[in-house]
Amino acid sequence: MTTTKVQSTHQERTAFVYVRQSTPVQVMENRESTERQYRLRDCAIELGWPPSRVEVIDEDQGRSGSTAAHRTGFQRLATEVSLGKVGIVLMLEASRLARNNSDWYRLMEICGLSGTLIADEGGVYNPREPNDRLLLGVKGTISEAELFTLRTRLYEGRWNKARKGLLHFSLPVGYVQGAEGGWTLDPDTQVRARLDYLFECFRRHGVVRSVVRELKGQGLELPTRVAAQEGYGSLVWKAPTLGAVIRILHNPAYAGAYVYGRSEYSNLRRSPKTGKASAHVRSVDQWPVKITAHHPAYIGWEEFVKNQERLRQNWNHDENRGVPREGRALLQGIVYCGICGRKMRVQDRAAKENRSPSYVCGRGYDDGDEKICQSMTSRPIDAAVVEVFLGAVSPLSLRVAIPVLDQLEQDLIAQRRQQELQLEQARYEARLAQRQYDAVDPAHRLVAGELERRWNEKLERVGQLERTYAQAEQDAEWSLTKEERAAITRLSQDLPAIWSAETTTNQERKQLLRMAIESVQLDGMGQAGQIEMHIRWRSGTITDHVVKRPAPGEGSLKTPAEAVSQIHRMAGRNSYDEIAAQLNRAGLRSAFGRCFTTQQVGYICRRDGMAKRQPRCKSVPEENLDSSISKES
Ligand SMILES: [Zn+2]
């Protein structure tokens, strides 16, 4: 290194060594280069800087980014240089310091202004000298061009491979790499059967949450591949979660397709934290690489597309029906506002409030209108719809019932198969553990003890599974006996009976309703005290109905009549306190089933006009009160 350019004015200031590898993997694996970078520190000392005035900036280790905005180390360096505190900046290559030319030139500019030298392994440069400046500029340009070609080559290579379906990425569970590098189905029968069962479940329920609930109810776990470095790629069974099921349903690999570029990364949206471009999911028809029938599939491509549509619909946006959910309001998802035409939503009440849900047209309000368009309680509307529906569809009943019954049987068979597989796996593991235990020398106590513990664990799991399945079998028994089956068939011929049966869930009721009804429109503003209802049937006809609006307070909780009349009788002579105490002694309770308080008695007296000249404190002696009550009661 030439040292003539280094003056004592430089040496009085600090020397900065800038160290950087862009990704954590590079930090781990590219040690050679890192070491070379750190060795620059010795160069600074050689050039005459005392070790105490050499500072290494390595905060940008493991940080990629083509601009300086998210590299705090580079920013700090630039600040220090511009403050005139830096005598020399040392780095390996220009590209390490600045990833694009504007950053590089900015740094050169401020180094020139503050009289700071720049050095790499090749030599020391003074940005104030025209020749050095030229050289530094060329170095910056070359390093940018080098990066650009490198990136283009890698990027193009990757896409090229992907377009041929040859780019490797970790396979989803249920697939393994075949001998020639292709994808084959997992040889583990249980894994395949469980995935089949999951897709079958979604076919039946159409709701991810129900799929998870069913799997959990059956004690069935989902296979996953370990992604952590330790045990990478090995198979583990985990309790099903919503996220896991959704990921499987969204993955086109299970439909036999090789897909690349499902997400696009735009420069416009970047994470404010890391500076990385954030992903935006493309729709199916915009996927740049899509090779169907690339490998064996679990479901057909049409079904995959249908599932995507279904998952999207379950978001329950304005334009689609969504699936029937569990709430009590029967028209959920198919009810529209008769005034503005928008979809109405259901406002459910807390169970303890004991009020029926309401249909509310609130989209306009969400969009900035001053108030909601209209709202009405669901009870009378639902009752009217059900009456019309049951009257209209009686010939439908058989066609509805028989598939339901067949489905029930099939479900049970599929469930049992899954349970048998899981049990078989557990038994196999227990046998394996036993063999390992048998094989070890009993004198080798430590190992034998550990193996015995593992064997016991496996046996315990077998026992636990056996118990769960025995219970599940027992629970399912009712639907299998011939008598029950006949009874259901009989019942199924009678839709009203099915409708009102206790075992019918609201979800099933809604499903039945939707078989006949496309949508319902409500208008509660046209006529005072009533709601106009237009039902659009799936057959295409529209029928009009009128529902009476319930009077305010109708159907709400009331204080029992007995208590009210007792209050009326005592109101003139006793204090609220005494009345409340007497009512409670007599075992009477308020509308909410709780003990009476002074305030409640006072409220009822005032409401019914009996509060005149009511003394605030006790006015009648205790014994008189008792006698007056006993006379009256
Ligand atoms: Zn409206």
Side-chain angles (χ1 to χ4, degrees):
M1 272 190 186
T2 48
T3 49
T4 48
K5 285 171 190 153
V6 180
Q7 308 287 317
S8 57
T9 48
H10 295 127
Q11 285 162 343
E12 281 160 13
R13 295 187 260 166
T14 321
F16 269 59
V17 176
Y18 186 77
V19 178
R20 175 166 170 269
Q21 295 281 7
S22 52
T23 63
V25 179
Q26 280 182 356
V27 174
M28 296 272 286
E29 287 171 2
N30 207 349
R31 294 240 173 84
E32 193 58 37
S33 158
T34 313
E35 262 171 41
R36 262 171 71 209
Q37 294 194 49
Y38 279 109
R39 223 177 291 135
L40 284 170
R41 193 172 174 274
D42 303 334
C43 287
I45 295 166
E46 237 171 74
L47 285 168
W49 268 266
S52 60
R53 271 213 294 279
V54 179
E55 201 170 317
V56 178
I57 297 190
D58 56 3
E59 357 182 319
D60 292 339
Q61 284 278 57
R63 232 169 240 266
S64 77
S66 42
T67 64
H70 294 280
R71 285 183 282 128
T72 55
F74 180 77
Q75 285 171 340
R76 187 156 73 90
L77 176 71
T79 317
E80 298 279 314
V81 170
S82 61
L83 288 173
K85 289 181 178 169
V86 185
I88 189 168
V89 177
L90 294 106
M91 79 227 122
L92 212 53
E93 294 139 20
S95 66
R96 298 272 169 222
L97 193 62
R99 294 289 288 276
N100 63 36
N101 261 332
S102 67
D103 282 353
W104 177 240
Y105 281 117
R106 190 160 57 97
L107 187 80
M108 262 168 62
E109 204 60 48
I110 46 178
C111 280
L113 285 172
S114 61
T116 306
L117 300 173
I118 295 177
D120 61 14
E121 282 186 320
V124 178
Y125 312 92
N126 185 353
R128 282 182 173 177
E129 286 176 19
N131 277 339
D132 284 5
R133 218 181 149 77
L134 189 69
L135 206 56
L136 285 172
V138 171
K139 275 179 183 261
T141 310
I142 288 174
S143 113
E144 195 184 45
E146 197 177 41
L147 267 178
F148 181 77
T149 4
L150 208 72
R151 202 161 47 195
T152 316
R153 210 174 292 153
L154 283 173
Y155 181 83
E156 277 310 315
R158 198 168 61 197
W159 275 97
N160 218 19
K161 255 188 151 179
R163 271 190 279 273
K164 287 185 281 185
L166 294 175
L167 185 69
H168 288 304
F169 35 82
S170 52
L171 301 192
V173 69
Y175 288 101
V176 291
Q177 208 95 52
E180 293 94 38
W183 298 28
T184 56
L185 293 177
D186 198 314
D188 189 332
T189 324
Q190 205 188 356
V191 171
R192 291 201 314 267
R194 189 60 44 84
L195 286 168
D196 283 337
Y197 187 65
L198 186 149
F199 288 117
E200 168 59 33
C201 263
F202 187 71
R203 222 166 278 148
R204 228 174 321 118
H205 294 292
V207 189
V208 178
R209 218 168 275 280
S210 306
V211 174
V212 175
R213 202 176 309 143
E214 170 156 351
L215 290 171
K216 278 200 170 144
Q218 303 293 326
L220 297 175
E221 293 172 322
L222 286 181
T224 41
R225 295 255 173 231
V226 177
Q229 203 165 19
E230 197 182 333
Y232 179 83
S234 59
L235 185 83
V236 284
W237 291 85
K238 281 188 179 169
T241 62
L242 202 67
V245 175
I246 289 178
R247 272 196 298 280
I248 290 176
L249 288 170
H250 271 315
N251 195 339
Y254 294 108
Y258 179 96
V259 172
Y260 189 73
R262 267 199 289 166
S263 306
E264 75 186 319
Y265 297 86
S266 122
N267 256 332
L268 298 171
R269 290 190 308 171
R270 285 179 176 277
S271 154
K273 245 185 187 167
T274 60
K276 284 189 177 156
S278 49
H280 169 78
V281 181
R282 291 184 172 116
S283 62
V284 177
D285 49 328
Q286 286 176 331
W287 289 344
V289 177
K290 186 180 78 189
I291 305 168
T292 44
H294 172 265
H295 51 260
Y298 284 85
I299 54 168
W301 181 255
E302 288 77 32
E303 187 177 357
F304 171 76
V305 174
K306 215 178 75 195
N307 284 354
Q308 303 313 300
E309 178 59 22
R310 193 137 198 199
L311 288 166
R312 201 183 63 80
Q313 282 213 350
N314 289 0
W315 277 63
N316 204 5
H317 287 306
D318 228 9
E319 65 276 15
N320 50 44
R321 287 148 66 102
V323 279
R325 289 167 197 276
E326 285 155 4
R328 282 180 296 163
L330 292 176
L331 301 184
Q332 163 251 318
I334 56 169
V335 61
Y336 291 83
C337 175
I339 297 167
C340 68
R342 277 185 268 222
K343 192 171 187 174
M344 294 177 88
R345 57 178 167 230
V346 174
Q347 184 173 23
D348 252 312
R349 312 283 178 181
K352 66 167 194 259
E353 263 196 274
N354 209 11
R355 285 169 68 184
S356 54
S358 305
Y359 296 122
V360 181
C361 175
R363 299 249 184 230
Y365 181 71
D366 291 350
D367 296 341
D369 287 359
E370 227 154 66
K371 52 184 185 172
I372 59 160
C373 181
Q374 59 167 347
S375 82
M376 51 202 68
T377 179
S378 64
R379 190 162 30 87
I381 298 164
D382 285 1
V385 170
V386 168
E387 199 187 313
V388 178
F389 164 71
L390 290 180
V393 296
S394 41
L396 233 163
S397 54
L398 252 179
R399 261 191 292 157
V400 173
I402 282 171
V404 170
L405 254 187
D406 291 347
Q407 191 59 55
L408 209 69
E409 293 259 289
Q410 271 182 3
D411 291 357
L412 281 170
I413 293 168
Q415 272 169 20
R416 202 164 306 144
R417 173 87 187 115
Q418 287 304 309
Q419 290 167 347
E420 279 165 8
L421 280 171
Q422 192 155 339
L423 196 56
E424 199 175 307
Q425 174 77 19
R427 284 191 183 128
Y428 165 74
E429 279 172 15
R431 279 199 302 276
L432 196 69
Q434 185 185 4
R435 272 210 299 279
Q436 282 171 344
Y437 173 74
D438 289 344
V440 78
D441 179 4
H444 201 342
R445 278 219 210 115
L446 270 179
V447 175
E450 172 61 19
L451 287 177
E452 190 178 5
R453 192 186 61 76
R454 281 190 209 168
W455 178 22
N456 275 331
E457 250 175 38
K458 300 286 178 205
L459 282 179
E460 218 162 275
R461 171 140 172 87
V462 171
Q464 190 198 335
L465 286 176
E466 275 172 348
R467 281 194 297 278
T468 314
Y469 298 156
Q471 186 60 43
E473 193 82 342
Q474 222 172 21
D475 293 347
E477 201 89 290
W478 64 269
S479 55
L480 288 179
T481 69
K482 273 202 179 121
E483 295 78 22
E484 296 285 1
R485 206 177 170 198
I488 294 171
T489 318
R490 264 202 312 283
L491 251 178
S492 68
Q493 283 156 8
D494 192 352
L495 192 62
I498 289 193
W499 183 271
S500 52
E502 263 181 45
T503 47
T504 309
T505 63
N506 280 330
Q507 221 166 346
E508 287 160 345
R509 288 197 183 105
K510 287 179 198 173
Q511 229 142 20
L512 287 172
L513 212 58
R514 286 169 176 214
M515 283 180 177
I517 294 177
E518 183 72 42
S519 66
V520 176
Q521 226 178 39
L522 300 173
D523 180 355
M525 305 294 268
Q527 292 280 326
Q530 65 184 44
I531 299 158
E532 284 171 45
M533 182 169 80
H534 311 283
I535 301 179
R536 200 150 70 86
W537 300 86
R538 300 202 87 166
S539 59
T541 51
I542 296 176
T543 54
D544 300 337
H545 312 266
V546 171
V547 184
K548 199 173 132 302
R549 251 188 205 275
E554 192 183 306
S556 60
L557 294 170
K558 288 194 178 75
T559 310
E562 202 189 339
V564 174
S565 60
Q566 177 84 299
I567 293 171
H568 288 179
R569 279 198 297 278
M570 293 173 71
R573 280 161 293 161
N574 305 95
S575 72
Y576 298 154
D577 233 353
E578 291 158 357
I579 301 175
Q582 175 57 31
L583 290 171
N584 291 336
R585 261 202 303 279
L588 292 168
R589 291 291 175 263
S590 76
F592 292 94
R594 290 191 278 265
C595 285
F596 279 97
T597 63
T598 315
Q599 285 79 10
Q600 278 164 357
V601 174
Y603 165 74
I604 290 168
C605 286
R606 281 194 297 280
R607 184 192 70 186
D608 299 348
M610 298 189 160
K612 286 172 206 156
R613 290 188 304 282
Q614 172 65 52
R616 282 274 159 208
C617 54
K618 277 188 193 174
S619 61
V620 186
E622 201 68 30
E623 60 268 24
N624 285 8
L625 175 78
D626 281 346
S627 61
S628 74
I629 298 282
S630 53
K631 255 180 262 161
E632 282 176 57
S633 51

